[in-house]
């Protein structure tokens, strides 16, 4: 069955992107500037899209179709072998999704990407693929709730176990848990809900000494605030539901592969087995490392996972994420300013036991934030509420500028109490390990002005403690 869209391999000879270049705006015969030389915001608006390939539509169109005409039997053969990029069947990819894939790969400096129907699909597919057949994962022990439970209880049913690193801020602790069956190290660049940071450069160095790739969930940071490949990561996973899309109106996930990890053939036979499904035009079977050289993870996810599990991102969702992505830098520039003011405000309140943000007073993560997050360590913060459960209820209910729900990275500011929702699946010992105390409240800062958020929090504290 179909290979689908392979546009997003950045160096695939067929599809080297004329779309990735645009001429500088002078009428002289100046050399073309490649997309890679542009700044983040220009890439976020243009990378991967050439309007002349889409009836000159300025905005990437939505291809709301299950299937694409194959035209003739020779073209069919080219499509099936990846010799020609084009639509086949939307379960395995759409043209709008492939624009998003190229754009994110460009923003992260990766070789190829695949857009999937959720962040959890991105995480589960990637880890299942890497550790298939009895491998283990070494992971940080404070993860997004569903990811933590996925690794602790769901993936083991399929033969993939996880060793959670207790002392997760200590890079050496990761090395101690890696053994000959370890197939990936997994962690978040900014952890949710505790806003912890990790020395990924140091952790990657240790993982690489063991021949193990590092998978980083970069959801909270986004490629605007942190580029994991520049810190040693090999694969990035995103929930694009969050800040990348940024408007709270879509569920989406993305996997990006850097493209230079030397997968050992004995440890990762899945990337070296030749498959008829990856055959070339002359009917020679190929392996994943041959199908997209340098990006066997993305090749496998596209050829096997979207084919057999489904879950490629739909065209409409891809369109929404592309639209949101185009304003990512301005949204985050404002939010990282606002979050600092909210942190200061919370620190001034008696009702607050502690504040978790790398620039909160006494945070152990300030140094890493200064080193690795020059544009700011994200727009999430959490704090300890110093009242009773009843007072916490009044506080949350009294807020007007914070929606109470489980999403993050929206234009609206959001509030949630992780122990009772996002992390409620975790058993008490898992909660303790993840350092999610009973009174933890998480704020996701939106685009409202800081004064509105602060006065809102202030009046809600007054009501709760009246
Ligand atoms: C939300 C989230 C996910 C899961 O993404 P979905 O799109 O909801 O499946 C994974 N990681 C982090 C850090 C998240 O915040």
């Amino acid at each position: 069955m179909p290979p689908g869209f392979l546009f997003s391999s950045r160096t695939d000879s067929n599809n080297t992107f004329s779309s990735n270049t645009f001429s500088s705006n002078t009428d002289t015969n100046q050399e073309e500037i490649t997309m890679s030389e542009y700044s983040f915001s220009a890439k976020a608006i243009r990378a991967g899209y050439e309007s002349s390939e889409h009836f000159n539509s300025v905005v990437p169109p939505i291809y709301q179709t299950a299937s694409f005409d194959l035209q003739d039997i020779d073209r069919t053969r080219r499509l099936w072998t990846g010799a020609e990029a084009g639509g086949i069947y939307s379960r395995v990819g759409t043209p709008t999704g492939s624009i998003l894939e190229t754009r994110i790969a460009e923003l992260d400096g990766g070789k190829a990407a695949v857009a999937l129907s959720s962040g959890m699909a991105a995480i589960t597919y990637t880890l299942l693929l890497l550790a298939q057949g009895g491998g283990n994962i070494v992971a940080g022990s404070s993860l997004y709730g569903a990811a933590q439970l996925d690794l602790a209880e769901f993936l083991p049913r399929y033969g993939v176990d996880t060793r959670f690193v207790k002392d997760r801020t200590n890079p050496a602790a990761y090395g101690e848990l890696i053994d000959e069956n370890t197939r990936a190290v997994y962690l978040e660049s900014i952890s949710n809900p505790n806003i912890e940071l990790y020395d990924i450069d140091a952790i990657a160095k240790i993982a690489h000494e063991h021949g193990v790739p590092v998978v980083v969930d970069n959801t909270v940071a986004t490629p605007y605030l942190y580029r994991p490949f520049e810190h040693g990561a090999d694969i990035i996973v995103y929930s694009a539901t969050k800040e990348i899309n940024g408007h709270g109106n879509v569920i989406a996930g993305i996997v990006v592969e850097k493209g230079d990890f030397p997968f050992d053939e004995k440890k990762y036979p899945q990337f070296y087995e030749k498959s008829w499904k990856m055959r070339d035009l002359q009917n020679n079977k190929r392996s994943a490392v041959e199908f997209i050289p340098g990006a066997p993870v993305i090749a496998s996810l596209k050829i096997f996972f979207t084919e057999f599990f489904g879950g490629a991102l739909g065209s409409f969702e891809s369109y929404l994420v592309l639209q949101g992505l185009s304003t990512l830098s301005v949204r985050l520039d404002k939010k990282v300013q606002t979050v600092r003011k909210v942190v200061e405000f919370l620190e001034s309140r008696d009702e607050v036991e502690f504040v978790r943000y790398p620039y909160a007073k006494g945070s152990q993560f300030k140094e890493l934030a200064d080193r690795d997050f020059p544009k700011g360590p994200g727009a999430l913060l959490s704090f300890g509420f110093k009242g009773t459960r009843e007072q916490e209820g009044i506080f949350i209910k009294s807020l007007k500028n914070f929606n109470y729900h489980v999403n993050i990275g929206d234009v609206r500011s959001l509030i949630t109490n992780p122990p009772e929702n996002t992390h409620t699946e975790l058993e008490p010992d898992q909660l303790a390990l993840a350092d999610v105390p009973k009174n933890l409240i998480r704020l996701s800062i939106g685009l409202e002005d800081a004064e509105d958020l602060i006065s809102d929090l202030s009046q809600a504290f007054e009501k709760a403690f009246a």
Side-chain angles (χ1 to χ4, degrees), residues 2-3 277-278 291 298-308:
K277 233 175 132 346
M278 292 187 173
F291 197 77
I298 299 303
S300 304
L301 293 177
K302 280 179 174 269
I303 300 300
F304 298 115
F305 280 64
T306 62
E307 170 76 342
F308 299 126

Side-chain angles (χ1 to χ4, degrees), residues 200-401:
I200 292 176
D201 301 74
I203 294 167
K205 193 160 173 283
I206 292 166
H208 291 167
E209 281 163 14
H210 289 86
V212 173
V214 175
V215 180
V216 170
D217 180 337
N218 200 37
T219 297
V220 177
T222 83
Y224 182 60
L225 299 181
Y226 186 75
R227 304 209 332 151
F229 293 151
E230 293 171 6
H231 297 273
D234 305 287
I235 295 156
I236 302 170
V237 291
Y238 286 109
S239 168
T241 308
K242 314 293 170 57
E243 199 69 72
I244 284 184
N245 169 66
H247 293 73
N249 55 3
V250 76
I251 298 288
I254 303 171
V255 183
V256 196
E257 185 168 12
K258 183 180 179 204
D260 64 359
F261 186 78
F263 287 102
D264 178 71
E265 188 166 352
K266 283 210 186 67
K267 278 166 90 167
Y268 300 93
Q270 62 269 46
F271 298 142
Y272 293 88
E273 281 155 7
K274 291 189 186 278
S275 161
W276 179 249
K277 233 175 132 346
M278 292 187 173
R279 68 189 178 276
D280 67 15
L281 265 179
Q282 288 73 43
N283 283 340
N284 300 305
K285 290 185 187 179
R286 284 181 294 179
S287 64
V289 291
E290 293 166 327
F291 197 77
I292 306 181
V297 170
I298 299 303
S300 304
L301 293 177
K302 280 179 174 269
I303 300 300
F304 298 115
F305 280 64
T306 62
E307 170 76 342
F308 299 126
F309 287 124
L313 189 63
S315 200
F316 181 54
E317 285 79 5
S318 302
Y319 164 90
L320 288 174
V321 176
L322 282 166
Q323 169 153 314
L325 180 56
S326 61
T327 57
L328 179 62
S329 58
V330 280
R331 285 187 279 112
L332 273 172
D333 280 342
K334 173 160 186 181
K335 289 182 182 187
V336 295
Q337 301 294 325
T338 310
V339 73
R340 296 282 289 265
K341 294 181 189 159
V342 174
V343 165
E344 271 171 40
F345 164 75
L346 290 171
E347 284 174 335
S348 75
R349 298 294 302 208
D350 292 337
E351 301 89 340
V352 172
E353 189 183 320
F354 57 82
V355 180
R356 291 182 177 166
Y357 189 73
Y359 290 116
K361 278 189 201 113
S363 168
Q364 67 179 111
F365 302 109
K366 180 182 179 301
E367 227 171 273
L368 269 176
D370 286 344
R371 188 189 84 179
D372 293 347
F373 293 83
K375 295 195 194 103
L380 274 193
L381 73 99
S382 55
F383 68 95
F385 187 85
K386 225 195 245 169
T388 63
R389 187 169 179 280
E390 196 196 344
Q391 286 172 313
E392 187 176 319
I394 297 169
F395 173 73
I396 290 176
K397 199 133 186 94
S398 305
L399 290 165
K400 307 265 186 298
N401 266 317

